Amino acid sequence: MPEMIPRSVTPGYQARALFRPRSLVLVADPAQPEAAILAANIAAGGFQGTAYAIGPEVPGLVPAADIAGLPQPPDLAVLCLPPAALEPAMAALARRGCFAAIVPGPAPGLAAVSARTGVRALGQGSFGLCIPAIGLNASLSHIAPSPGRLALVTQSAALARAVLDWAAAEKLGFSHVIGIGGNATLGFAASLDWLARDAGTGAVLLDLRRVRNRRQFVSAARATARTRPVLAIRAGSRVADPSGLADSVMNAALRRAGVLRVSGLEDLLSAAETLARVRLRPVATPAGGALPQTRIGVVTNGIGLGHLAADAVIAAGGQLAELRPESLTAFSLLLPPGWGPGNPMSLGPAAGPRLAEAAAMLAGLPEVDVVLALHAPAPGEAPPGAADVAAEAMIAAARAGAGRAAPILVGWTGQATAGRQRRAMAEAGLAVFATPEAAVRGALHLAADRRNRAAAAELPSREVLEFAADRGAVRQVFAAARAAGRLELTEEAALAVLAAYGIPTVPGRRAAGPAEAADAAAMLGFPVALKILSPDVVHKSDIAAVVLGLASPRAVREAAAAMLARVRAARPEARIEGLLVQRQAARALELRLRLGEDAMFGPWIGFGQGGTAADLAADEAYDLPPLNLALAGQLIGRSRTARLMAGYRDHRPANRGAVAEALVRLSQLAVDFPEIAALTINPLFADADGVLAVDAALALRPAGEHSELSIPPYPAELARPFRTRAGEVLTIRPIRPEDAAAHAEAFHRLDPEDVRRRFFSPLKEMSPALVARLTQIDYDREMAFIATRQAADGTDQTVGVARLIRDPGAAAAEFAVVVEQAMKGQGVGRHLMERLFEWGRSVGVQEVAGHVLADNRPMLAFVRGLGFTLKRSAEEEEVMEARLSL
């Protein structure tokens, strides 16, 4: 189905006005330091529209006296004004119908000014906006970027200039350079939403400092990363948080979005060099399995370079390709006498053009995913032109296999004699580097990008962990704590919350003093553990407030009396609420599960080694809620503790499935109760039989405060039953990632004519990427309701789906609906559409539209019956446009 961009039904900011302006105005105070640079860049850029200037007199810009006197409302305004003059100018622009602006200078309170005037802006402190394809250079750049397929979205003007200077030397061009500056009103989300739909953008670079709206950012980043590489760098992250926790949470957020995080400017440039020029061949991901590792083949004219590259691959956790015997035999004619083929493979210093021939042969092998071709200056190439011939052969080899063979990355070392050849290869579009290590980084970036984007779109199994949490019990526990005037729960209360969500907890009883503790122990059974109950004692082991292995009532009484005395002496200010007696669990692998809050990305979940040395072990992997079983399994796998869980020596494997379930239950608790500030389960014992929470701490937020997730949770509350005209009861609910297999099966049950009418082509198979796109949706910006029945094997079977997609914040949305042949005439399609309308109204959709083939008479009758108006598309004669006002 051709994409339809929803129309806005109200005047105001339009993305097209900012990112594809047909006219602009520079409103500048010549005394402002940025004014002259902006004026010169706009005038010299060759802008294809009309450019006006108010303030400075600049050749090439049409002068105007003021905003009110402009001959036409401009699409875009560049406001280079002192802060006090900004609001009057923005108000004047709004009166003329201009709602997009760039603010390069200081602008305190820009968000509030934007809200009052309706004009949305890049800034404050925006580097500006470059769109080379239309000749727009409204930026503070010292160099005009060339047209190309790289997009840069940056908060730093210095970083923008550095990247542009590097790109000019590397012969890389840009589709967009977007300076969002302080990210006050128009920032990452708005930029990414545009770039996600821009056919001229091949890769996106992000300079992240501050994300203003976490949910919009993750949503837009994920939409962009579905179709092109997105790289991110964050300067100052360790300065802001030396612990590295915020950095780890950002990595988790970017991973969920399919964005590749790089560590510094050198890494960013290396990744851009690679991802802007080459792509890995697509590979099939095994059902339920991980993406296979990228296999690297190395060929060189000097074995020293080859060994450096091989070392770098292995040290970084990469994989050298294992060449088959028949593949090795094919290289024998290219090798010097007495030299044997291998990986790395050296052709000797006299290789010349044979290096390119060998690289092309490696690229054609099925066991090689990417080729590193490494060249060192050689005596035989000293005559003028000899090295140029070798470089030209490499260019031809890389071009010949583009899109079919494995990509060739070139490491062309040296400077005095090699610099010219590197420049020639860069101009020809090759990914070329000055050192073997840099070439390896490029190959690993390719692998990491493919792995990240594949993980973000991985199709999970059908398995869904469905459980009935006792939310009422949790609310009572929280209410009791608040009524007592505290935000920190006792261990007993925290364990009760976990138990309400089905996380197994060790049996325990509260006791007021030593005698009651002895009685409680006798009821629980020996041996027991004894702990202090105090909201002011978080780390009990620090003051010996935990005693294990108590085997008799007398031992419990004596231990309790001694513990109370120790705690009162060590922490006289601590509130002591009694003692907790627990049946002592058998020792097992100790894990720690944590729920916390990040200032930028909100709630996070941590998993790793538990016990008293958990912080010293520094083994914690992070993700964002909500989690399903597949994501929980991936989170476990990213920790070093995963290897211990697999079993070692005389230790049996731990039940990994039970640990994943505990993580999903913890995630659901975070979704259901955003008033939780922090929660730690430590230790969570894990063995072959399952898991057991032994200790827990939980803190609430002050009354009225709630967290906001970066990723919208599954809206389970929208599931409802529906009775068909034949009396069958179906479930109508939002689609979820675990519906992938059922969705693919439903496609195969569709009539071929229904497929043609739905997708506007005779589609025979849905690719895994398309299935992921249709089942892994962002519930903030789109909805897909499915009608399901239970199959004989107990799984859900999808028999119909209706979908509504809108641009973020747009008042119009596009619909699609299809019902399998056996369910037609049962009212399913109409009910699905009515559910879509209900959801659309709840999120502010005012108009629903769609495309219908003109020969699809049943669908035309169906939408007429729902109240849609129909007219023939002005762009496609065989298509009808259907529209309905909500």
Side-chain angles (χ1 to χ4, degrees), residues 673-691:
F673 291 95
E675 64 193 282
I676 296 175
L679 193 160
T680 299
I681 308 173
N682 185 24
L684 178 80
F685 282 174
D687 60 18
D689 298 322
V691 298

Side-chain angles (χ1 to χ4, degrees), residues 253-268:
L254 296 177
R255 185 186 308 110
R256 285 290 285 271
V259 175
L260 176 62
R261 168 77 187 275
V262 293
S263 59
L265 182 58
E266 184 178 3
D267 236 15
L268 181 75

Side-chain angles (χ1 to χ4, degrees), residues 417-703:
T417 62
R420 186 177 72 256
Q421 288 97 37
R422 272 204 307 275
R423 286 192 295 274
M425 285 185 276
E427 288 175 1
L430 272 65
V432 58
F433 305 88
T435 67
E437 294 83 1
V440 169
R441 281 200 302 272
L444 296 176
H445 285 138
L446 277 176
D449 174 65
R450 179 165 73 177
R451 186 170 58 248
N452 260 27
R453 295 165 65 201
E458 183 177 344
L459 300 180
S461 70
R462 294 177 187 265
E463 186 179 6
V464 176
L465 180 62
E466 294 183 352
F467 58 93
D470 191 347
R471 295 176 177 85
V474 175
R475 282 191 285 269
Q476 289 179 6
V477 170
F478 291 172
R482 292 187 187 278
R486 63 170 183 260
L487 298 178
E488 292 81 16
L489 273 60
T490 64
E491 179 183 344
E492 178 187 28
L495 289 172
V497 169
L498 299 181
Y501 270 71
I503 297 176
T505 58
V506 64
R509 288 181 177 272
R510 174 191 287 255
E516 293 86 348
D519 292 341
M523 296 180 66
L524 290 168
F526 295 100
V528 297
L530 183 69
K531 303 176 181 179
I532 200 73
L533 274 178
S534 171
D536 302 317
V537 179
V538 179
H539 300 294
K540 302 177 184 67
S541 58
D542 290 352
I543 55 171
V546 178
V547 179
L548 306 176
L550 300 174
S552 69
R554 179 179 176 180
V556 173
R557 282 193 299 272
E558 292 175 351
M563 180 182 294
L564 289 169
R566 280 195 305 273
V567 173
R568 289 182 181 124
R571 301 280 179 83
E573 78 288 352
R575 294 165 290 171
I576 298 175
E577 299 180 352
L579 299 158
L580 181 62
V581 185
Q582 295 176 320
R583 182 183 298 163
Q584 185 160 320
R587 303 302 294 180
L589 180 63
E590 294 186 354
L591 307 175
R592 182 174 71 174
L593 279 59
R594 291 205 296 165
L595 172 65
E597 172 88 1
D598 177 68
M600 191 177 296
F601 289 102
W604 52 263
I605 290 176
F607 169 82
Q609 180 177 324
T612 56
D615 289 330
L616 296 177
D619 173 33
E620 193 164 27
Y622 298 88
D623 211 325
L624 306 183
L627 298 179
N628 58 19
L629 288 171
L631 291 169
Q634 294 169 15
L635 173 59
I636 294 168
R638 288 194 295 273
S639 72
R640 296 195 304 272
T641 301
R643 288 179 287 179
L644 300 179
M645 291 176 63
Y648 60 98
R649 294 184 181 176
D650 58 341
H651 293 260
R652 295 169 61 200
N655 189 329
R656 186 161 172 162
V659 177
E661 285 193 12
L663 285 164
V664 173
R665 293 174 189 272
L666 178 62
S667 167
Q668 191 59 47
L669 180 61
V671 170
D672 292 343
F673 291 95
E675 64 193 282
I676 296 175
L679 193 160
T680 299
I681 308 173
N682 185 24
L684 178 80
F685 282 174
D687 60 18
D689 298 322
V691 298
L692 188 67
V694 177
D695 200 346
L698 191 155
L700 299 173
R701 300 173 188 276

Side-chain angles (χ1 to χ4, degrees), residues 855-875:
D855 65 356
N856 190 352
R857 298 182 184 277
M859 179 59 75
L860 293 174
F862 174 72
V863 296
R864 281 195 189 98
L866 288 169
F868 282 80
T869 60
L870 291 164
K871 72 171 185 178
R872 194 169 296 276
S873 170
E875 299 174 352

